[in-house]
Amino acid sequence: MRNFLLFFCGLSCFSQAVGQEVLPQENFDIKTLRHIARTRTETQHRVFRTISDANNYVNIGVPIGLFAAGAISDDKTMRQNAVYIGTSTAITAVVNYGLKQIFKRARPFRKYNNFVAVTQASGYSFPSGHTSSAFSTAVSLSQSYPKWYVIAPSLVWSSSVAYSRMYLGVHYPSDIAAGALLGSGLTTGIHMLRK
């Protein structure tokens, strides 16, 4: 009888642990994603997928475009800014990858079986790589050219990328916040060293 009770208690603890893994506790992160998911439309799917997919091209295109323009116009400052922007984004990407390997946070659609993402993504969730690279590019571009007509579109773009990752269901709000801080912080640190 004693062995049966021990077995039953063990089975009960195991089923609770498995149940928590399958149905983890709801928190601010997943509640926010569920709220966003309730507002989804097909048009928004296309818009936010396009923004998310374009992010890497923008991150590569901005420094390459600046460098090419600087080479054509023989503008040394523009070429140096291009190298700074490209270097900032590359360093941010490397640090972001390292943090993902340390934290190994599962993506929302993997942790919450009843949460449906618009698209699937591989790898880990924390911090958001798209967000960190978008903010790195936006902040470094804004620091290189501190004019309202550069700063405003840069921040609108990076914020749109950040929101798109939550909309698509591949990142939590805390992943986004950490990615924005990482991209902005590293870029600002590199900018200070550069000066």
Side-chain angles (χ1 to χ4, degrees), residues 19 30-31 73 95-96 101 122 128 130-131 165 173 179 183:
I30 191 62
K31 285 178 182 176
S73 63
V95 172
N96 185 279
Q101 301 310 308
S122 59
S128 168
H130 278 69
T131 304
R165 302 306 284 168

Side-chain angles (χ1 to χ4, degrees), residues 12 20-22 45 59 107 111 121 123-124:
S12 176
Q20 287 175 354
E21 186 63 33
V22 174
H45 285 11
N59 293 331
R107 293 195 184 267
K111 183 171 182 179
Y124 298 112

